[in-house]
Amino acid sequence: MSLFWRIFGLNALVLGAATALLLWAPVTVSVPVLLTEAVILVLGLAVMLVANAALLRIGLAPLDRLTRLMASVDLLRPGQRLPVAGHGGVAELIRTFNSMLDRLETERATSSARALSAQEAERRRIAQELHDEVGQSMTAVLLGLKRAADRAPESLRPELQQAQEITRESLDEVRRLARRLRPGVLEDLGLISALTALTNEFTTHTGLKVTRHFDADLPPLEPQAELVLYRVAHEGLTNVARHAEAEHAELSLRRSADRLVLCVSDDGHGGGIVREGAGIRGMRERALLVGGSLDIVPGAGRGTRVSLSVPAAAAAKDTDHA
């Protein structure tokens, strides 16, 4: 039934019931109208309006649910759909909206995959230039400063040695940035070694104590899945170091049934209440690339836990073909 005929039928039902009540009820209307007759008429009108409102609310309830979903739908949380029953106009509207969400989620996933792929390619290019161009130039400067310090008078050597130390620290920073942009250990030694190096780096440079828990029977992963897990772990630890004011963080990678679950938890003051900025939305987009889901919930204490769940079978599909 179309929406027009549904509303028409509901109103016709109410008006028909009111007409039948007037025809068969032992009620008359005098001229002028008596007070008791006016009270009865007003009560009848009130009952008719209430019945009409109740029936319309029932009939238009699917549109209310559709409106609420349209106001709250988020393409980074796929799968939000309304159940469809019947073949009327409202059911067809809901079915069309669900199909539109399917198309939008597919297009969003495709465009996000292209954007993130381009981002990773650009990171690799910048990391390579930092390593090959900037790193080698600074190494040459460092060697030149050493030769100059060896030949310089005693009075100038402290200044030259200080310049050497500053250049050496800058070179270490450039190399660290290059590793963050392109984690070579991930490509060379695998995910576990890369996550171990990541936690050691955060402990060294931020003072944040990070503990690790990795299951021993983890399945092999395709490169894209490993990169997604690494980037989410890096972003999660970065958020802890910047915003949580935590003293301790924990990074874990476990197998749960047919899924791999990466967790980053802390003992900070977040309590699971996180304003989703570009970093968290980027993590959600990366999770969608490998069919995963990202959850942010309160931790065991007062901190926050970021959990990425990835299908283990899907993650290893490309490895099986290799």
Side-chain angles (χ1 to χ4, degrees):
M1 184 182 297
S2 67
L3 184 60
F4 170 81
W5 288 110
R6 178 176 296 196
I7 295 176
F8 178 82
L10 293 174
N11 283 286
L13 178 64
V14 174
L15 292 175
T19 302
L21 183 62
L22 289 176
L23 289 176
W24 283 291
V27 179
T28 58
V29 179
S30 304
V31 179
V33 178
L34 300 178
L35 179 60
T36 55
E37 295 172 345
V39 170
I40 292 174
L41 288 175
V42 170
L43 288 177
L45 176 62
V47 170
M48 183 174 65
L49 291 176
V50 170
N52 190 34
L55 291 174
L56 283 175
R57 178 172 290 277
I58 295 173
L60 298 178
L63 289 181
D64 291 337
R65 293 194 295 271
L66 179 61
T67 302
R68 288 194 297 270
L69 179 60
M70 292 173 68
S72 62
V73 68
D74 186 354
L75 296 181
L76 293 180
R77 293 176 173 86
Q80 302 177 73
R81 302 290 185 273
L82 284 176
V84 184
H87 302 282
V90 175
E92 187 60 31
L93 176 62
I94 295 175
R95 196 175 288 112
T96 303
F97 180 74
N98 288 342
S99 299
M100 182 190 70
L101 286 182
D102 291 337
R103 292 196 309 274
L104 289 176
E105 288 178 359
T106 301
E107 292 171 1
R108 176 62 183 266
T110 303
S111 61
S112 295
R114 287 197 297 265
L116 291 174
S117 177
Q119 183 186 80
E120 290 297 334
E122 185 66 10
R123 285 186 174 190
R124 285 194 295 270
R125 185 188 66 80
I126 295 174
Q128 194 69 29
E129 290 185 0
L130 283 175
H131 182 272
D132 294 344
E133 303 295 334
V134 180
Q136 291 182 6
S137 298
M138 294 185 71
T139 301
V141 171
L142 188 61
L143 294 174
L145 287 172
K146 185 180 184 306
R147 288 194 298 269
D150 293 339
R151 299 173 182 174
E154 190 67 29
S155 59
L156 294 178
R157 286 185 181 179
E159 295 182 7
L160 291 173
Q161 289 172 352
Q162 184 180 10
Q164 280 183 269
E165 189 62 29
I166 294 174
T167 305
R168 185 178 293 107
E169 292 176 357
S170 300
L171 180 59
D172 292 340
E173 182 66 18
V174 167
R175 288 171 176 169
R176 188 173 67 86
L177 289 174
R179 287 195 301 270
R180 290 177 59 182
L181 288 171
R182 181 177 177 267
V185 66
L186 179 63
E187 300 175 0
D188 298 335
L189 301 178
L191 180 62
I192 300 301
S193 297
L195 293 178
T196 301
L198 178 65
T199 56
N200 291 336
E201 180 182 345
F202 267 86
T203 300
T204 301
H205 291 89
T206 66
L208 180 68
K209 183 180 179 182
V210 184
T211 58
R212 303 179 296 269
H213 298 282
F214 303 138
D215 282 354
D217 58 342
L218 297 175
L221 302 174
E222 64 171 353
Q224 187 182 48
E226 287 190 340
L227 185 59
V228 167
L229 290 167
Y230 179 85
R231 292 297 187 197
V232 169
H234 185 277
E235 184 66 29
L237 289 175
T238 300
N239 288 338
V240 172
R242 288 179 178 174
H243 309 298
E245 297 181 5
E247 297 179 357
H248 178 264
E250 179 179 323
L251 175 66
S252 65
L253 182 60
R254 305 182 187 278
R255 184 166 189 170
S256 177
D258 59 344
R259 303 185 73 83
L260 288 179
V261 181
L262 175 81
C263 288
V264 179
S265 57
D266 64 80
D267 59 357
H269 60 70
I273 302 175
V274 179
R275 184 177 62 86
E276 296 203 4
I280 293 178
R281 296 188 69 83
M283 287 194 285
R284 292 194 186 280
E285 289 182 348
R286 290 184 182 279
L288 293 179
L289 291 180
V290 291
S293 60
L294 186 81
D295 295 314
I296 302 175
V297 297
R302 61 190 180 98
T304 302
R305 184 180 69 183
V306 177
S307 178
L308 170 64
S309 177
V310 176
K317 62 182 178 181
D318 285 356
T319 304
D320 297 338
H321 293 297

